[in-house]
Amino acid sequence: MGSRAAVHLLLVLCLALVSACTDDEPMDALVQVPAWFPPMEVPAENGLTPARIALGRKLFYDPLLSADSAVSCASCHLQPMAFTDGRQVSVGSFGRTGFRNAPSLANVAYVPRLNADGGIATLELQAQAPIFAHDEMAFTIAGFLVRIANDATYAAMFQAAYGRAPDAFGISRGLAAFERTMISGSSRFDRYEYQGDASALSEAEVRGRHLFFSSRTDCSACHTPPLFTTFDHANIGLYAAYADSGRARITLLPTDNGKFRIPGLRNIALTAPYMHNGSMASLQQVVAHFNTGGVAHANKDARIRPLGLSAQEQSDLVAFLQALTDEAFVTDPDLARP
């Protein structure tokens, strides 16, 4: 056996041994899910293990998944921005621009249907979509596998994670496993609401909290804690005519025109610009939009109506939204580039 093959085999055996010793850990040892969150559902065929999470983390930050070797998943999902990118719409391989704003990946494990239009059913499927998309990575899984054909580290990590050589199965499952660890539930709101710390919110934030949960605004009807979303699709009266038909792109139903998945609001202060197309630069603009009741549209949700909030009340609402920032999440070393 050549020296390179021997090193490769040793690495495979070492990683497999580590996996065998740790993969029986309970899920709560691998993912810190707050007690006030609903249980996380994980597919039986892709249970979380340290080896699978480690593989997904490496893949998430690897630009070799893109055609020009310049774009990784992390290019559009940066940790300091709660895994968004700060752009109106994302920029992919060869500088190609997409047509939607990059969503936060915070608590993505709970999203029942992925993308703003709900067009993808599972994280495992979603993990593959950007690789093939012309305006994202513009590549193929087969092409990536050629690039890593002689990579001993990848070979060992796939073997430890899934007991197989690098392939599409391991790529999609590994990425999904890592993304399921992106749990965010440690904001000042959580300390106040669920942990009994009355000092966690300022007076303005408390006033904003009351408004958020009041019948005057109905904010919490769509942005329901603890995940701050119902995951439904809604038209919020952003336009009289939508260039992007939203959910209707999937269902082909006219009644779904202009409907987009209701986003979770955790870390919302870090994820500007807002809306499906990044058309609003600040939370102040967002609150002002809802205060006016939006523009007329046949599909506009009945809950979107003029609110009559004063300038102070709008400011208080923004203050409350800023209290949903989870500093531990955006600085967690386990989610950072390996």
Side-chain angles (χ1 to χ4, degrees):
M1 180 183 294
S3 59
R4 180 171 179 171
V7 170
H8 181 192
L9 178 60
L10 180 61
L11 183 57
V12 170
L13 292 173
C14 288
L15 278 174
L17 181 60
V18 170
S19 177
C21 292
T22 59
D23 282 359
D24 289 334
E25 293 180 54
M27 191 173 73
D28 59 5
L30 300 174
V31 185
Q32 299 302 309
V33 178
W36 48 93
F37 271 35
M40 183 195 298
E41 295 183 8
V42 179
E45 52 86 21
N46 196 26
L48 296 183
T49 70
R52 291 172 179 180
I53 293 167
L55 172 62
R57 183 181 179 187
K58 181 174 173 60
L59 288 164
F60 187 85
Y61 286 96
D62 195 344
L64 291 180
L65 277 168
S66 64
D68 60 357
S69 299
V71 175
S72 68
C73 301
S75 298
C76 297
H77 300 285
L78 293 90
Q79 186 180 10
M81 296 179 180
F83 294 97
T84 61
D85 63 5
R87 301 175 184 268
Q88 278 193 290
V89 295
S90 296
V91 177
S93 290
F94 310 110
R96 296 170 183 157
T97 56
F99 67 105
R100 286 185 182 155
N101 183 253
S104 171
L105 298 184
N107 302 319
V108 71
Y110 290 97
V111 180
R113 298 196 66 87
L114 286 299
N115 289 353
D117 53 30
I120 298 182
T122 70
L123 268 179
E124 282 75 12
L125 289 172
Q126 168 58 31
Q128 301 175 63
I131 300 172
F132 295 98
H134 177 77
D135 55 3
E136 297 187 57
M137 293 177 168
F139 202 37
T140 65
I141 288 177
F144 172 71
L145 293 174
V146 169
R147 287 179 176 175
I148 66 167
N150 297 315
D151 189 313
T153 299
Y154 261 131
M157 293 183 77
F158 273 85
Q159 189 65 37
Y162 294 104
R164 56 206 296 159
D167 63 1
F169 179 97
I171 291 169
S172 62
R173 270 67 176 182
L175 282 167
F178 175 58
E179 290 172 2
R180 287 192 174 97
T181 70
M182 295 180 177
I183 299 298
S184 178
S186 183
S187 66
R188 288 188 294 108
F189 164 80
D190 295 288
R191 298 210 312 268
Y192 179 93
E193 194 76 11
Y194 302 112
Q195 297 176 308
D197 183 356
S199 67
L201 298 184
S202 69
E203 291 183 4
E205 290 163 350
V206 170
R207 292 195 302 268
R209 175 192 172 279
H210 288 318
L211 277 170
F212 187 90
F213 290 105
S214 74
S215 59
R216 280 189 66 194
T217 66
D218 277 337
C219 296
S220 60
C222 293
H223 298 287
T224 307
L227 299 173
F228 283 89
T229 176
T230 60
F231 302 110
D232 293 331
H233 294 80
N235 180 319
I236 62 169
L238 196 58
Y239 301 110
Y242 284 80
D244 180 347
S245 62
R247 179 68 175 152
R249 294 182 77 245
I250 306 302
T251 66
L252 304 181
L253 296 174
T255 51
D256 283 336
N257 188 7
K259 292 184 179 181
F260 296 88
R261 177 165 53 81
I262 297 169
L265 298 185
R266 287 186 175 275
N267 304 293
I268 194 70
L270 304 179
T271 64
Y274 306 103
M275 304 301 161
H276 68 276
N277 56 358
S279 58
M280 292 189 182
S282 68
L283 284 176
Q284 288 79 4
Q285 281 183 272
V286 173
V287 170
H289 166 78
F290 286 104
N291 193 42
T292 66
V295 301
H297 190 283
N299 296 334
K300 188 173 76 168
D301 193 291
R303 293 168 291 193
I304 308 302
R305 64 194 190 282
L307 301 178
L309 301 179
S310 68
Q312 182 62 61
E313 288 173 322
Q314 291 180 65
S315 177
D316 290 344
L317 262 181
V318 170
F320 172 68
L321 294 173
Q322 292 170 334
L324 300 179
T325 298
D326 181 350
E327 297 292 346
F329 174 67
V330 296
T331 58
D332 185 348
D334 290 336
L335 300 178
R337 185 181 302 277

